[in-house]
Amino acid sequence: MTQTMQLVLGSQTYMQQFAKQASTPIRLLKDVEKDRDFALLDLKGAIPFVSPVRGTVLAHYGTVPAYGYIALMYFKLGKDEAGVFVSQMTEFTAQADRLEGCDAMVLMETDNPHLEYLLLAAWNRKLDVYTAQNTPLYAPVRAFAQRAQAGFGYHRAIYTIVDPNHPTKALTAEAAGAD
């Protein structure tokens, strides 16, 4: 996996346009909870955007597939928590293969001068996302999510990877050409 990655939020039309023209590995994402929110995940951080959530990959497991679901968690932390967070999330990422249906996980520190982190996980099914969040392995993530919510900031979103030519349709393994 590359050392940089970025995420850009925007309208369907804008994100769809970039997804169709991209010459780098990207994923067009549609929010499963807010039907009209879209994002573009640039796995190499190569597309020039004005204000992406861009950062350095600190840890990763697997490869983000061209289909499925993406769960994003954004954490804004204080200086006293950042080191512990990175250590625990790096360990969590290394154990992601123990989470049923998890294809990939990425821990990224944003380029923002504040201590902001993005934990991205790619899943086979939407149910896998919710099931994993209730496992004992997920306990450190839940703890930091609660702290970040109470303090500096936390946001969670779940997306489905969609076809840039038909952004209302989720990509399947067959449509993406997977084995």
Side-chain angles (χ1 to χ4, degrees):
M1 168 153 258
T2 182
Q3 292 299 317
T4 344
M5 187 176 79
Q6 65 184 349
L7 178 75
V8 181
L9 305 173
S11 69
Q12 173 186 331
T13 305
Y14 186 67
M15 295 293 99
Q16 187 178 5
Q17 199 173 35
F18 274 102
K20 286 181 177 180
Q21 297 171 0
S23 60
T24 184
I26 55 90
R27 305 292 182 263
L28 179 60
L29 309 176
K30 180 180 177 186
D31 193 315
V32 298
E33 296 167 344
K34 299 173 187 161
D35 196 38
R36 295 184 298 186
D37 290 351
F38 282 79
L40 194 67
L41 178 61
D42 178 2
L43 297 169
K44 293 196 177 218
I47 299 173
F49 287 109
V50 175
S51 58
V53 176
R54 181 181 171 88
T56 303
V57 173
L58 302 177
H60 79 277
Y61 153 75
T63 302
V64 177
Y67 59 92
Y69 293 86
I70 301 289
L72 296 171
M73 289 177 280
Y74 161 86
F75 300 85
K76 187 173 180 182
L77 302 169
K79 291 178 185 177
D80 56 329
E81 293 183 312
V84 175
F85 175 82
V86 169
S87 175
Q88 288 187 8
M89 293 309 109
T90 298
E91 185 178 325
F92 177 70
T93 301
Q95 296 179 43
D97 63 332
R98 294 175 46 201
L99 297 168
E100 186 175 340
C102 184
D103 290 324
M105 188 170 290
V106 179
L107 173 63
M108 178 180 87
E109 181 176 4
T110 71
D111 290 346
N112 192 314
H114 303 288
L115 295 172
E116 298 175 341
Y117 300 90
L118 188 70
L119 184 63
L120 175 150
W123 302 89
N124 292 319
R125 300 174 306 143
K126 186 166 55 170
L127 181 60
D128 293 334
V129 177
Y130 296 107
T131 302
Q133 292 174 355
N134 294 311
T135 63
L137 185 62
Y138 225 83
V141 178
R142 286 192 304 273
F144 275 103
Q146 290 171 348
R147 282 190 224 149
Q149 280 176 322
F152 296 101
Y154 172 78
H155 177 73
R156 175 180 95 31
I158 299 172
Y159 293 89
T160 184
I161 301 171
V162 295
D163 183 344
N165 296 308
H166 305 284
T168 58
K169 296 182 181 179
L171 277 171
T172 62
E174 297 78 27
D179 296 332

